[in-house]
Amino acid sequence: MVVQRLDIHRRDRGERALVTLSGAIGPATAPLLRAVLEQCLRDGMTAIDVDLATVGSCDVQGLDVFLRASDRADRVHSRVRLRHPCAQIARLLTVTDSVSLLGDPPAGERQGEGDRIGGPALLEGIRLRRLTREQAEGMSEDIADLAVEPATGLFAHADRQRDAFLDRLAAGARRPGFALLVAETTVLVGCAFGFPVGPGDRSERGLQESVQRLTGCARFMLLTQTVAHHHAQHRAIGRRLQQRLLADRHAALGAVLLHPADRTGQSAFESWGWRNCGQMVGLPGLGAPCLLVLFRESGPVPALRVDRPGRA
């Protein structure tokens, strides 16, 4: 049984309170949230902003806490507003006709400002959010829905793809330094995840040495999945996810391995600015996959030691 946890931090600025939450809102944690919001009102706060950027889920009991606090705030000429809800909470607000809780964005939170995880919208209402391992596990089915879209007559094939995707996600989540980002509006529109590789990583020694020989970078981020094909801005979303993942793990370089026959995947990564270094031979158990690399935009971009795709 998973025990729910909700961390709450309150910061006051004059008569305005910012309540930052992290965790899950449900039967075990809703009473604590209710107590904090009620205390804000007793303290005479005229505006209570609740930051949900790192909240993975909220049930109807948690929603009831917000609605009751909003009603009480209205009676004393105050207001409660929710900021940066995840896709699940946004859907809950929509189906219960509670989107009024979102209100208008506070001053200073305009499109393009604060380009950070958990911050305001990045691309026409799209924002990025980093998930913890626990949150990634809880949202794995939703993420798999995004990654695998069954076609008519190919449901068995889609099921195999889904199982393979979930296996990659679970295996990646066990690696040290694992990081997963999602892009979302009111629904998920993209995701990217991976883990760092360095000289001391015995399981990826052959890959690490090959990448270092080609690029001069001894440490890099190995991306095991990027999905951003369900939105009109999929190219911009994919590139932003990848660049943010590198920045989040302070990696100057990203690397990805694709099957040589995966022309669609290679084209997608090349459209995001990745460079195809050709097939990598001699990697244990991997055959000869194609290696693609991407340098972080804010860092140096050294010249690769190959001029065109070939065999590395």
Side-chain angles (χ1 to χ4, degrees):
M1 178 179 178
V2 178
V3 178
Q4 283 187 335
R5 176 175 176 175
L6 183 67
D7 294 326
I8 303 178
H9 176 72
R10 172 181 167 183
R11 185 174 63 201
D12 296 346
R13 291 182 178 177
E15 295 182 345
R16 183 172 184 166
L18 173 63
V19 179
T20 303
L21 309 179
S22 179
I25 305 173
T29 56
L32 177 60
L33 174 61
R34 180 184 299 110
V36 171
L37 296 180
E38 289 177 350
Q39 187 61 52
C40 288
L41 292 172
R42 285 195 294 268
D43 292 342
M45 296 294 110
T46 59
I48 305 169
D49 292 317
V50 183
D51 189 346
L52 302 171
T54 51
V55 174
S57 63
C58 176
D59 66 1
V60 292
Q61 189 168 336
L63 176 62
D64 184 65
V65 170
F66 290 128
L67 291 172
R68 290 177 181 273
S70 181
D71 288 341
R72 282 193 285 270
D74 288 341
R75 292 197 293 269
V76 295
H77 306 290
S78 181
R79 62 185 179 89
V80 175
R81 292 292 180 265
L82 308 185
R83 309 298 182 195
H84 315 137
C86 68
Q88 182 270 323
I89 298 177
R91 287 196 299 268
L92 178 64
L93 295 174
T94 299
V95 299
T96 58
D97 197 23
S98 304
V99 292
S100 60
L101 285 170
L102 296 175
D104 298 323
E109 278 200 1
R110 299 184 179 87
Q111 182 123 346
E113 290 186 12
D115 185 17
R116 65 187 186 282
I117 294 173
L122 296 174
L123 297 166
E124 295 184 10
I126 300 167
R127 73 184 182 97
L128 306 188
R129 184 162 64 99
R130 183 174 60 247
L131 302 186
T132 64
R133 281 189 175 88
E134 184 177 287
Q135 290 172 331
E137 181 180 351
M139 292 184 63
S140 61
E141 295 296 330
D142 290 334
I143 297 172
D145 288 341
L146 174 72
V148 180
E149 187 173 36
T152 303
L154 297 175
F155 291 107
H157 179 62
D159 286 343
R160 289 194 295 271
Q161 285 185 322
R162 184 186 183 88
D163 291 342
F165 174 86
L166 290 171
D167 288 344
R168 285 197 301 275
L169 177 58
R174 292 192 292 268
R175 297 293 296 257
F178 171 78
L180 185 149
L181 302 179
V182 294
E184 55 192 6
T185 54
T186 57
V187 295
L188 291 177
V189 295
C191 75
F193 57 86
F195 54 87
V197 174
D201 194 330
R202 295 183 179 179
S203 63
E204 305 291 346
R205 181 177 177 180
L207 175 62
Q208 187 276 327
E209 291 177 347
S210 295
V211 172
Q212 183 175 5
R213 184 169 61 253
L214 285 169
T215 67
C217 288
R219 300 180 183 276
F220 56 91
M221 193 78 180
L222 180 63
L223 272 73
T224 49
Q225 188 75 40
T226 297
V227 180
H229 54 256
H230 294 273
H231 193 279
Q233 299 184 68
H234 61 93
R235 289 187 180 180
I237 294 169
R239 186 170 182 84
R240 184 64 62 88
L241 281 166
Q242 293 157 1
Q243 287 291 341
R244 181 55 58 81
L245 199 61
L246 297 183
D248 187 48
R249 284 295 180 260
H250 307 290
L253 179 76
V256 66
L257 296 172
L258 296 178
H259 193 281
D262 186 4
R263 300 298 182 185
T264 301
Q266 292 176 42
S267 295
F269 275 90
E270 288 170 2
S271 74
W272 290 323
W274 292 66
R275 180 161 181 187
N276 193 332
C277 296
Q279 291 180 248
M280 304 289 292
V281 297
L283 297 181
L286 294 177
C290 288
L291 169 70
L292 291 89
V293 298
L294 175 73
F295 284 93
R296 203 169 97 195
E297 289 177 347
S298 60
V301 184
L304 299 180
R305 299 178 187 176
V306 291
D307 293 326
R308 59 181 182 273
R311 285 183 171 266

